[in-house]
Amino acid sequence: MNPPGPPLHRSLLFVPGSRPERFDKALDSGASAVIVDLEDAVAPPDKNAARAALAAWLQPHHAVIVRINSADTAWFDDDLALCGAPGIAGVMLPKAESAATLAAVTAAGARALLPLVESAAGLAALDELARAPGVWRLAFGSIDLQVDLGLRDATEEELLPFRLQLVLASRLAGIGAPVDGVSTAIDDEERLRIDVQRARRLGFGGKLCIHPKQVGPVNRWLAPSEADQAWARRVLAAAAAAGGAAVAVDGKMVDKPVLLRAEAILREAGLAAG
């Protein structure tokens, strides 16, 4: 796995910090990034042991992300001491609500920050979080956000405004496209497909995964489809042949925004535009 930074980190797989026997398997899962979780996946009595297990396993070539415990917990300071260790490419901060807390994580040696926005206070501070030094991408903590806002039996319709806020804040700050929250139905591939394709339509560039079986589908459905790539090639070929004159593809006029979209699709697919 490469360190965070490039835009094509589509699948970000959680692995419990208390299960070190799974760390190497997670790295071999095909995920774009592995997040060793010291927070929700680890029971309070096991926090210190999980941190020690991660520290013992780390090697410079691992390049994992670590989700530390939030700043209002007793484990935060000890987690900070691990943030600059070789092998930790980035730090996910849960309940991210202020740039000051992000600055403390950066000062501890974090190479890249992935603030997890999962509260009303986090939403209110979105622009501040997105523009904080060292922030790589924002992540959406949809489940915790519903609890914090008191949303009862919320559907994706109720969550839509909050997702779009992350996309807008990321764009204005000039950072990578945000990472969508988890899909909890591990064995429901159709539900996962709907979730991933919605995230892609909204402008998200990645998705948090809670099981290795989600990685392949997330990578596939977040990538430009063959149909998208074929359309992009037709658009660029038609524009090149027109030599600057007006041209239509599939019955629709090709203007500058359409050309830019076609180029972006091919770049995202790892192909040369043009």
Side-chain angles (χ1 to χ4, degrees):
M1 191 197 86
N2 294 322
L8 297 182
H9 280 71
R10 296 184 176 114
S11 54
L12 291 83
L13 175 64
F14 282 116
V15 58
S18 54
R19 301 298 299 272
E21 73 279 6
R22 295 184 181 178
F23 294 172
D24 288 310
K25 294 178 181 178
L27 289 178
D28 292 335
S29 68
S32 307
V34 169
I35 305 173
V36 179
D37 188 6
L38 300 179
E39 195 217 12
D40 281 352
V42 180
D46 300 327
K47 297 282 190 182
N48 293 332
R51 187 189 313 108
L54 173 58
W57 172 81
L58 281 172
Q59 297 291 332
H61 65 277
H62 284 142
V64 296
I65 297 170
V66 58
R67 176 161 73 169
I68 62 175
N69 290 279
S70 60
D72 59 353
T73 68
W75 306 286
F76 180 69
D77 289 339
D78 288 332
D79 287 353
L80 281 185
L82 190 61
C83 289
I88 293 183
V91 176
M92 171 178 276
L93 179 68
K95 299 177 179 64
E97 296 176 351
S98 77
T101 305
L102 294 179
V105 181
T106 299
R111 295 166 181 82
L113 300 176
L114 189 62
L116 185 58
V117 180
E118 49 187 347
S119 67
L123 286 173
L126 262 183
D127 289 338
E128 175 186 343
L129 297 175
R131 297 177 187 274
V135 169
W136 170 45
R137 296 163 81 173
L138 301 174
F140 185 43
S142 54
I143 296 174
D144 283 71
L145 180 65
Q146 291 178 64
V147 175
D148 189 60
L149 293 180
L151 301 180
R152 301 180 184 276
D153 301 320
T155 67
E156 291 303 329
E157 182 178 354
E158 284 79 27
L159 293 175
L160 177 61
F162 310 122
R163 281 194 164 90
L164 290 175
Q165 285 183 53
L166 265 74
V167 174
L168 179 60
S170 298
R171 179 60 177 163
L172 291 175
I175 60 176
V179 180
D180 197 20
V182 301
S183 294
T184 57
I186 294 173
D187 295 315
D188 189 343
E189 188 167 291
E190 178 60 14
R191 178 73 258 170
L192 180 63
R193 182 189 65 79
I194 292 171
D195 290 349
V196 174
Q197 292 183 343
R198 178 191 61 246
R200 178 172 172 78
R201 289 195 305 274
L202 293 178
F204 281 77
K207 186 167 180 62
L208 300 174
C209 301
I210 58 173
H211 194 280
K213 68 171 59 176
Q214 295 179 327
V215 167
V218 166
N219 286 339
R220 182 169 69 254
W221 291 324
L222 275 179
S225 67
E226 291 294 333
D228 288 339
Q229 295 176 49
W231 171 83
R233 287 191 289 267
R234 289 199 306 275
V235 165
L236 295 178
V247 65
V249 172
D250 299 339
K252 297 180 180 179
M253 291 301 299
V254 173
D255 55 10
K256 185 174 181 180
V258 173
L259 285 173
L260 292 175
R261 175 60 183 152
E263 291 171 352
I265 286 172
L266 295 186
R267 282 197 305 272
E268 191 177 349
L271 304 172

